[in-house]
Amino acid sequence: MASETAFVHLITFTGATDTVASNLRGYLERELARSAPKGFLSAVVIEAQDGESAGLLSYWESMEAIEDITDAAPWEAAMDLCEAVCDERKEMSYAISGAAAAG
């Protein structure tokens, strides 16, 4: 990556964490890993130690790449599956720079 800045997108769901984590792992394996969209760098499924929430932390080259993926039908379908079983959904995007963006 030429830039010293990358972007992270964090989406978390509370409730039904086993199902949410399973749905997110499926999306990660079927969509992001097999045919990575432009600007995608990496992603991990995260689960809170208290078992109350699960989410997807993804790394991107630009905010535009995040906006493109969140408008895509596979993304929307995966998020709908998670929302159907969870209590709450939160999304946040952050810019990261320096060594964290390069590494």
Side-chain angles (χ1 to χ4, degrees), residues 4-96:
E4 287 291 319
T5 301
F7 297 84
V8 295
H9 185 72
L10 173 62
I11 182 167
T12 58
F13 299 90
T14 56
T17 57
D18 290 341
T19 302
V20 168
S22 179
N23 288 343
L24 292 173
R25 275 192 285 284
Y27 174 76
L28 179 61
E29 293 168 5
R30 285 188 307 277
E31 295 295 330
L32 294 178
R34 288 187 186 166
S35 57
K38 183 178 179 186
F40 174 71
L41 299 173
S42 66
V44 294
V45 173
I46 56 176
E47 296 180 66
Q49 286 184 330
D50 63 7
E52 295 295 318
S53 62
L56 183 68
L57 177 63
S58 55
Y59 297 83
W60 301 86
E61 291 179 355
S62 68
M63 284 302 296
E64 292 80 17
I66 294 170
E67 291 166 4
D68 287 346
I69 193 68
T70 57
D71 271 347
W75 173 273
E76 290 178 357
M79 297 307 110
D80 287 348
L81 282 173
C82 292
E83 282 181 4
V85 297
C86 78
D87 299 325
E88 183 180 24
R89 170 184 167 169
K90 292 182 183 179
E91 284 188 67
M92 295 176 267
S93 296
Y94 301 94
I96 57 175

